[in-house]
Amino acid sequence: MIAHLKSLLRKFDEKNTETDSIDFKTGLAALLVEVMRADGHTDKQELDSIEQTLITYCDLDITATSQLLDKAKQLVEQAIDLYSFVNVVNANTNDVERIEIIEFLWQVAYADGSLDGQEDHIIRKISGLMYVTHADFIQAKINVQESRIQ
């Protein structure tokens, strides 16, 4: 019994070490992946949107972007909540940058041509955790909708 408990505690310590190693780029990628996965489908357009965001915003090449996405997907699969991802993004951004990140999330949600209720829900949740006001949340959504029309 004690050996089993020690084993569980060791696994818990390993997971905490993994969580502590999340950097800004990984946290951002994980949030983008969360939105992509929210509707239960992984569309190529959404994946392309994430890749383009990471290449442009994080100044990565395609190889580094691919590696980052693989790591983010793995972390998202193992995560029980969004806290570790949002926490690192919040620690490395200001209010204006957080609103811009919410726009990136909306771009992923709209990349496949439709907005699923689960995508809207996860972006709303992330927005709240990032302390983005409701007005800025809505404006970010409108900005992305208008940019898709033009």
Side-chain angles (χ1 to χ4, degrees), residues 29 68 82 93 123 144:
L68 180 60
L82 300 170
T93 56
I123 297 171
V144 170

Side-chain angles (χ1 to χ4, degrees), residues 39 44 70 90 99 116 126 133:
D39 63 0
K44 179 164 176 24
D70 288 343
N90 282 348
I99 295 166
D116 183 82
I126 293 168
T133 66

Side-chain angles (χ1 to χ4, degrees), residues 76-88:
V76 166
E77 286 287 328
Q78 297 170 352
I80 58 171
D81 62 19
L82 300 170
Y83 178 76
S84 58
F85 309 132
V86 171
N87 191 40
V88 72

Side-chain angles (χ1 to χ4, degrees), residues 108-124:
V108 172
Y110 280 111
D112 63 357
S114 66
L115 177 65
D116 183 82
Q118 293 298 321
E119 292 168 329
D120 183 85
H121 174 75
I122 196 75
I123 297 171
R124 185 177 304 274

Side-chain angles (χ1 to χ4, degrees), residues 3 10 21 51 77:
R10 235 179 281 117
S21 70
E51 287 175 348
E77 286 287 328

Side-chain angles (χ1 to χ4, degrees), residues 36 43-52 69 73:
M36 177 179 69
D43 296 315
K44 179 164 176 24
Q45 299 95 332
E46 291 173 333
L47 189 57
D48 290 345
S49 177
I50 293 172
E51 287 175 348
Q52 190 57 49
L69 267 174
K73 287 176 186 176

